[in-house]
Amino acid sequence: MPNSTNQFIRPVTCTVNNQGNLEVGGCDLVELAQKYGTPLYVVDEATLRSVCMDYKCAFSSYEKVNMMYASKALCSMATSAVIASEGFGFDVVSAGEIYTVYKAGADMSKVLFNGNNKSVDELLLALELGVGRISVDNFFELSLLNELAKSKNKTVDILLRITPGIECHTHEYIQTGHLDSKFGFDLTQIDEAVEYIQDSNLKLHGLHAHIGSQIFETKVYEDEIDILIRELARLDEKYSLKLDEINIGGGLGVKYTDSDLPPSTYEIADVILKGLNKAIEKYGVDAPTIFLEPGRSIISTAGVTLYTLGSSKQVPNGRKYFAVDGGMADNARPSMYQAQYTAVIANKPEEKASQTVTIAGRFCESGDILIKDISLPEPEEGDVLCVFNTGAYNYSMASNYNRVEKPAMVLVNNSQSDIIVKRESLDDLISHDVIPDRLKTNV
Ligand SMILES: *Cc1c(COP(=O)(O)O)cnc(C)c1O
């Protein structure tokens, strides 16, 4: 089966140019660092579109597929506009994500609102902006949403988020489908939910599950589909309820380091479609529409982060540390999940590695280590470090820890670079601060 973009560490356009520098999207990364400053998030449009194409090709043999991008991996107006232009809808989890994709021009009928504690204001915004599906997570939300739908004299289209009870081998914090999870209805609670929905202002279309993230085994999808289709058949038999949608979530993994071997979108599609056909036959149901909502595998490989190397420290008889001008506030994953990354020095990408160093962040936590024990050619102060595969869950989890401005983001394509998220300024940092009048005399 062909490879797909999520199986590569580097963006598809990544090469070494005539200057001997690394380039992405036809843009010299050292020049980008000079022009826009560092840390800098860089998103390669060609890689992003190539992943979207992989997914579309991989599922092209099945007519009823709704591709959605899970916005939480990276949500900005420009990236949303690119993804929407590929025909994708969006899985969103907050008013902020709903508003961002709306302002980016997304087709709101292709948006699904998901989350385990949506607020009244967020649900109202979803109804007002015409979000296509709401994935209801629990009984509290079921009655809340029904009240809102009644007050607006509307029928609201929903899925039920369920917990299929599947364990997948990934980090505990990013597993979501096992039984003791904070997300979704337990399988034994589905009937009660369905009975509630029967005389409500909610229209149930199908079931939704999501089993985890950074998944490398394909078998879990087959198991998940079997459970979803089994439930569809059971509900039809018990309530004569014809549900024709299943949402199988996201989760496909990416390649952060050489030892990560994620399956391709083609392998995943093969397993999903075979599993689907098998389950359709086994339970005798009509072929449903399937929703997919990958996040990480859509955006991760398209993103790299540029940093400038600063101070260094040799621990006597120990490690050599090099510090960069960013760290856990722009990429929380290493300190949160012990996540590993691959990096090269963008101004000497072809020099032989000569030593092992540890890349430390600049933030006031000992755990703020970006990459432990990486082999690099002689690092020097001022070098530009390019960390690969930072598109997902970096910017979207960024903070202002230590009161540091969040980095800028540029979109590169065909040798052109455009700012898509401005770097925060010092005034941005204090723009929400208020000093009460009674304190002002002291200033
Ligand atoms: C996080 C999440 C996704 C996306 O997961 P990835 O691993 O980024 O593909 C999809 N659906 C739901 C419900 C999620 O919570």
Side-chain angles (χ1 to χ4, degrees), residues 106-154:
D107 175 350
M108 297 308 281
S109 71
K110 294 186 189 170
V111 174
L112 178 135
F113 186 21
N114 177 52
N116 70 321
N117 193 20
K118 309 174 187 82
S119 73
V120 171
D121 286 348
E122 289 177 316
L123 289 168
L124 287 173
L125 183 71
L127 298 186
E128 188 185 317
L129 297 183
V131 160
R133 292 282 181 276
I134 295 180
S135 184
V136 178
D137 193 271
N138 51 63
F139 288 109
F140 173 76
E141 188 186 335
L142 213 47
S143 65
L144 175 62
L145 187 59
N146 186 34
E147 291 308 311
L148 296 177
K150 277 191 178 147
S151 73
K152 299 264 158 198
N153 233 336
K154 274 189 181 177

Side-chain angles (χ1 to χ4, degrees), residues 311-336:
S311 66
S312 58
K313 167 184 176 175
Q314 174 69 58
V315 178
N317 305 315
R319 284 203 161 84
K320 172 121 191 195
Y321 287 93
F322 257 91
V324 291
D325 48 0
M328 64 185 288
D330 57 78
N331 182 359
R333 296 187 66 258
S335 48
M336 210 157 128

Side-chain angles (χ1 to χ4, degrees), residues 24-62:
V24 171
C27 296
D28 186 309
L29 295 182
V30 180
E31 282 174 21
L32 289 185
Q34 278 160 1
K35 182 168 177 189
Y36 300 105
T38 54
L40 182 68
Y41 294 119
V42 179
V43 176
D44 181 37
E45 188 175 331
T47 303
L48 179 51
R49 290 191 186 278
S50 143
V51 178
C52 293
M53 196 59 78
D54 284 336
Y55 268 109
K56 287 189 281 189
C57 292
F59 284 92
S60 60
S61 68
Y62 193 77

Side-chain angles (χ1 to χ4, degrees), residues 78 84-85 95 113 140 165 238 271 274 294 325 329 332 346 418 424 435 441:
S85 77
F113 186 21
F140 173 76
K238 185 164 175 187
V271 169
K274 279 188 180 139
D325 48 0
D418 296 292
E424 285 181 346
I435 303 182
T441 49

Side-chain angles (χ1 to χ4, degrees), residues 55 68-73 91 93 112 114-115 135 161 174 176 183 208-215 221 247-253 292-299 392-393:
Y55 268 109
M68 295 182 298
Y69 163 68
S71 289
K72 71 173 192 256
D91 165 282
V93 292
L112 178 135
N114 177 52
S135 184
R161 170 85 183 258
I174 52 182
T176 53
F183 296 106
H208 174 201
H210 169 72
I211 47 184
S213 203
Q214 186 63 353
I215 295 173
Y221 288 100
N247 181 340
I248 55 184
L252 177 59
L292 276 96
E293 44 184 21
R296 185 192 311 272
S297 55
I298 299 278
I299 197 73
Y393 304 111

